[in-house]
Amino acid sequence: MVTNQTPKQLNDLGDRYFNPNSPERNIEMAFTYYKKAADLNNPVGYFNVGRYFIEKKQYKEASEYLSKAKDLGYTKAMIRLSQMYLDGQGFRKNKKKAFKMMQQATIANDVLSYHQLGMFYWEGVGTKKSEANAMTYFEQSANNKVAKGMYYRGKLLLEAKQIKQDFEAGFFWLDKAAENGDLSAIHLLIELYHNSHPYLKKKSVLYLKEMEFYYQELLAKAKDKDALVLVAYTYYDGSEVTKVNYNKAISYFQDLVELDHTKGYLGLGLTYLYGKGVPADYTKAKENLEIAQTRGDCVSMNALGDMYRLGNGVETNYQRAKDYYVEAAKGNETNALINLGLLHYRSQVTGSTQKTAFQYMQTAKEKGNHLAHYWLGIFYEKGIGTAVDSKLSEIEYKAAIDAGNEGAKYKYAQMLYENANKKKLNPKKRNLIYAEVKDLLIEYVNSPHTSDVNTAYSMYMLGELFQEERFLQKSAKISRYYFELSASKLHAKAMVRMYEILKDNEPEVAIDYLKEACKRPLDGESLYEFGLLLYEGHPLVPKDIQKAKEYFGKASGLGFAKAKEKLAML
């Protein structure tokens, strides 16, 4: 054992073993060093030996050593003895002695004792209640930059009964305490903004939510697990108070993983699976999701089901996907019910039936999954697993739209447009439907979260709508605008429309559109039109009967009726 060590060196060595977070924690070894310092009549040594006995729950011995430290003027010992008098540890409970002991620490100018003595006055512990005296000590604490003093100063200003309340100053000091890391202040501010304290009555609901989230994030930065989960997934999904920020979400997911929290593994798994903020990495996705899944996390089970259903980083295996979805559904993961419905709808598992697909969607809807409304709208519209019912389809699409599903706007508009063109309607009613279709499609096109394919088709439908003779808002200019937008997204039928619009005045541009459309034909129309150019000849397209027949044949193979008729004539 090294000799001739100073009391400070001995106490520092003891701390190395006493610290609960130390990998070398050994309180008996710590005691040997603390005791050597105490034997040198060192007040810190006495105090630390007292801490050792408190850890051992030997309060009588602890009080003896703390009293020696106190007698040597060590204020931390006074504060600890005050608490022991309150708790009846080593002494009989005695609030007055607890108060006097804390008072000694403040007289000795221990800044950490100010807010504690303030609490004695505020609660009337061992002395007469006095909010004025309490505020005096809270102010001293706050002015010495002690976060807990700032917290109590702010709290008293909000809750005072004997002295004047000051809401503005109260919020100011609570915020200062929160910025300085006081968790009690952060929790209280979250509560105040959540419940809309009277001071905040003129603030908007959005402002209150933004401030509540701000303090939740402060709590997350302090590694509070619940706050970390809330903040991480808010950044991952986005909300009315913050935009999607995958980098921040990933940072908080990593904090959760360091704390070995299941939701951290889930979050990282999802970011790697879908390439959110990081390049997609199916190996890392699977590793993280499997950790979460083994702990019973149903969302990760559903995501693993997606990996096997879509073949993301694994061989496509619908049965294994189904197994994951079934387990997830047992844990009330309603997205798994949707996915089970899709497996049956697409006949991807043994014993698939359309009726079962419909039943899964219906169950998901009953359990509150809004995406189910979208699929039920399709199922009722097309008669999948149930009878065709346009009215019920409309109800489901509207419910999906109300729940924020952008895709439902596109599908509902498509159904309305097709039905309006099939039915005999009076002009006024038809135009009302056309106007609704227009609004739905424009909203869909302008939404940032839409499918490129469906957006292109929506633009094409708008082009068709604005050239509809029966539409009171008919406009060749607007029609062309939407056809051109759709064609820019390589929608084949829109490119054919652009060919028709431009062929007389800008034939080169028109034919370029048609050639591009032929590379990705939808229903054979583009192939048929180019076949006509080859068959009839054009200054820019040499006549070639044989090649024309090939184009007509391809168009016919895609079910284009005019191409079939042309081939029959030939």
Side-chain angles (χ1 to χ4, degrees):
M1 182 75 69
V2 179
T3 56
N4 299 323
Q5 292 164 303
T6 66
K8 183 179 186 311
Q9 289 172 326
L10 292 165
N11 283 308
D12 287 346
L13 282 167
D15 289 344
R16 175 176 156 188
Y17 293 104
F18 196 78
N19 189 326
N21 297 319
S22 171
E24 301 176 279
R25 179 168 166 81
N26 183 330
I27 66 169
E28 301 305 329
M29 183 68 76
F31 172 74
T32 62
Y33 290 111
Y34 289 154
K35 184 67 168 60
K36 282 181 178 291
D39 289 345
L40 295 172
N41 201 38
N42 176 259
V44 180
Y46 286 130
F47 174 74
N48 284 329
V49 172
R51 283 200 303 151
Y52 163 81
F53 282 119
I54 289 172
E55 184 89 0
K56 301 280 284 185
K57 294 186 170 39
Q58 294 174 231
Y59 299 117
K60 189 171 185 301
E61 292 85 346
S63 65
E64 292 172 2
Y65 278 92
L66 290 171
S67 294
K68 290 178 181 179
K70 181 261 296 181
D71 292 341
L72 291 171
Y74 193 60
T75 55
K76 283 187 178 179
M78 300 173 193
I79 294 170
R80 192 68 189 84
L81 283 165
S82 175
Q83 190 62 49
M84 290 177 74
Y85 275 117
L86 280 181
D87 297 336
Q89 294 175 340
F91 309 99
R92 287 186 179 180
K93 285 186 179 182
N94 191 318
K95 293 178 181 180
K96 286 187 177 180
K97 285 188 177 180
F99 170 77
K100 288 180 180 178
M101 192 64 67
M102 191 65 71
Q103 202 173 36
Q104 285 185 46
T106 60
I107 291 168
N109 295 318
D110 186 302
V111 296
L112 295 178
S113 69
Y114 294 144
H115 71 268
Q116 298 186 67
L117 186 64
M119 285 303 297
F120 278 88
Y121 278 114
W122 191 5
E123 295 177 351
V125 176
T127 187
K128 187 178 179 181
K129 279 188 179 183
S130 172
E131 289 181 353
N133 287 340
M135 182 57 75
T136 297
Y137 286 105
F138 292 155
E139 286 175 350
Q140 287 187 56
S141 180
N143 292 337
N144 277 281
K145 299 181 179 179
V146 176
K148 189 58 73 178
M150 297 173 187
Y151 163 66
Y152 284 126
R153 185 176 183 179
K155 186 171 164 59
L156 180 53
L157 285 166
L158 295 185
E159 300 174 7
K161 294 181 176 64
Q162 298 173 355
I163 62 174
K164 186 178 179 181
Q165 292 181 339
D166 187 336
F167 292 161
E168 184 175 355
F171 272 85
F172 171 82
W173 284 106
L174 287 175
D175 182 65
K176 291 279 285 184
E179 287 179 356
N180 282 275
D182 187 83
L183 299 183
S184 298
I186 297 172
H187 280 291
L188 179 55
L189 283 163
I190 290 170
E191 180 186 337
L192 293 172
Y193 280 101
H194 183 77
N195 295 323
S196 187
H197 184 274
Y199 174 66
L200 306 168
K201 63 183 178 181
K202 293 183 180 180
K203 302 294 184 181
S204 69
V205 173
L206 181 59
Y207 173 81
L208 298 178
K209 289 182 178 179
E210 286 173 343
M211 292 305 297
E212 183 180 350
F213 180 76
Y214 169 77
Y215 290 111
Q216 287 283 7
E217 189 161 15
L218 280 186
L219 205 54
K221 288 174 180 175
K223 300 297 188 287
D224 179 278
K225 289 183 180 181
D226 290 338
L228 277 168
V229 172
L230 185 150
V231 171
Y233 284 93
T234 300
Y235 277 121
Y236 182 80
D237 296 320
S239 73
E240 62 183 323
V241 299
T242 185
K243 294 178 180 178
V244 169
N245 188 323
Y246 294 123
N247 290 334
K248 284 190 174 184
I250 290 167
S251 175
Y252 289 122
F253 287 145
Q254 288 169 337
D255 287 341
L256 284 165
V257 166
E258 287 176 12
L259 296 170
D260 197 32
H261 196 289
T262 302
K263 292 298 181 184
Y265 294 108
L266 169 65
L268 283 183
L270 294 176
T271 59
Y272 283 120
L273 177 58
Y274 301 117
K276 304 290 189 181
V278 292
D281 187 326
Y282 297 134
T283 300
K284 288 182 179 179
K286 191 165 180 284
E287 287 173 358
N288 282 284
L289 290 171
E290 284 180 340
I291 291 172
Q293 175 261 324
T294 57
R295 298 178 180 188
D297 184 83
C298 298
V299 177
S300 61
M301 295 175 193
N302 182 66
L304 286 164
D306 285 348
M307 291 188 76
Y308 282 99
R309 177 168 63 88
L310 302 171
N312 290 333
V314 294
E315 188 175 342
T316 301
N317 187 325
Y318 296 126
Q319 186 56 48
R320 192 159 186 192
K322 178 185 174 183
D323 292 341
Y324 274 118
Y325 291 147
V326 168
E327 287 305 308
K330 287 178 183 176
N332 214 30
E333 170 52 43
T334 58
N335 284 322
L337 294 168
I338 299 286
N339 287 322
L340 285 166
L342 293 177
L343 286 175
H344 281 270
Y345 168 48
R346 293 164 181 160
S347 301
Q348 291 171 328
V349 288
T350 305
S352 296
T353 70
Q354 301 291 282
K355 185 176 180 181
T356 305
F358 176 81
Q359 288 171 340
Y360 273 121
M361 296 302 177
Q362 190 70 25
T363 304
K365 169 190 164 181
E366 290 166 1
K367 289 181 177 288
N369 191 307
H370 299 307
L371 182 57
H373 291 296
Y374 169 82
W375 284 106
L376 286 169
I378 293 173
F379 285 12
Y380 280 121
E381 181 188 354
K382 307 295 183 186
I384 297 165
T386 186
V388 172
D389 193 322
S390 295
K391 191 63 182 172
L392 286 176
S393 179
E394 179 180 344
I395 290 170
E396 296 297 348
Y397 280 141
K398 284 183 174 179
I401 291 168
D402 289 342
N405 188 301
E406 294 296 327
K409 293 179 182 177
Y410 158 72
K411 294 299 293 182
Y412 181 43
Q414 186 181 35
M415 183 183 82
L416 285 175
Y417 189 52
E418 289 175 358
N419 289 344
N421 289 336
K422 287 176 187 175
K423 295 177 181 178
K424 290 182 179 180
L425 300 170
N426 67 59
K428 184 177 180 181
K429 182 158 187 180
R430 188 185 302 279
N431 267 276
L432 285 172
I433 293 172
Y434 282 162
E436 185 176 3
V437 169
K438 179 202 73 173
D439 291 342
L440 286 167
L441 291 176
I442 289 174
E443 285 177 21
Y444 181 78
V445 165
N446 291 331
S447 171
H449 307 296
T450 56
S451 154
D452 285 342
V453 173
N454 290 344
T455 298
Y457 188 65
S458 295
M459 292 170 174
Y460 172 74
M461 286 174 64
L462 282 164
E464 279 197 322
L465 180 62
F466 278 102
Q467 73 174 10
E468 169 62 55
E469 293 290 342
R470 296 170 293 182
F471 188 29
L472 292 178
Q473 298 178 42
K474 180 187 174 187
S475 167
K477 184 177 179 181
I478 297 176
S479 176
R480 173 175 172 168
Y481 168 75
Y482 282 113
F483 282 142
E484 200 161 1
L485 280 179
S486 182
S488 72
K489 292 183 174 292
L490 305 180
H491 188 276
K493 292 187 76 64
M495 288 190 273
V496 175
R497 297 291 85 77
M498 290 305 299
Y499 161 73
E500 292 171 346
I501 292 167
L502 299 171
K503 65 182 179 180
D504 293 332
N505 298 319
E506 299 179 56
E508 288 187 13
V509 177
I511 290 172
D512 283 343
Y513 270 120
L514 194 57
K515 286 179 178 177
E516 192 64 37
C518 288
K519 294 176 184 178
R520 46 184 61 77
L522 289 175
D523 60 1
E525 184 183 17
S526 59
L527 297 166
Y528 170 74
E529 290 294 340
F530 199 76
L532 285 179
L533 289 177
L534 290 165
Y535 186 75
E536 296 168 0
H538 186 280
L540 298 174
V541 181
K543 187 172 183 177
D544 188 330
I545 302 296
Q546 187 57 42
K547 205 166 185 181
K549 288 181 179 179
E550 291 176 12
Y551 272 84
F552 291 146
K554 289 177 183 178
S556 177
L558 289 171
F560 195 69
K562 288 184 179 180
K564 292 180 180 180
E565 292 171 8
K566 193 70 175 175
L567 280 174
M569 288 170 61
L570 292 174

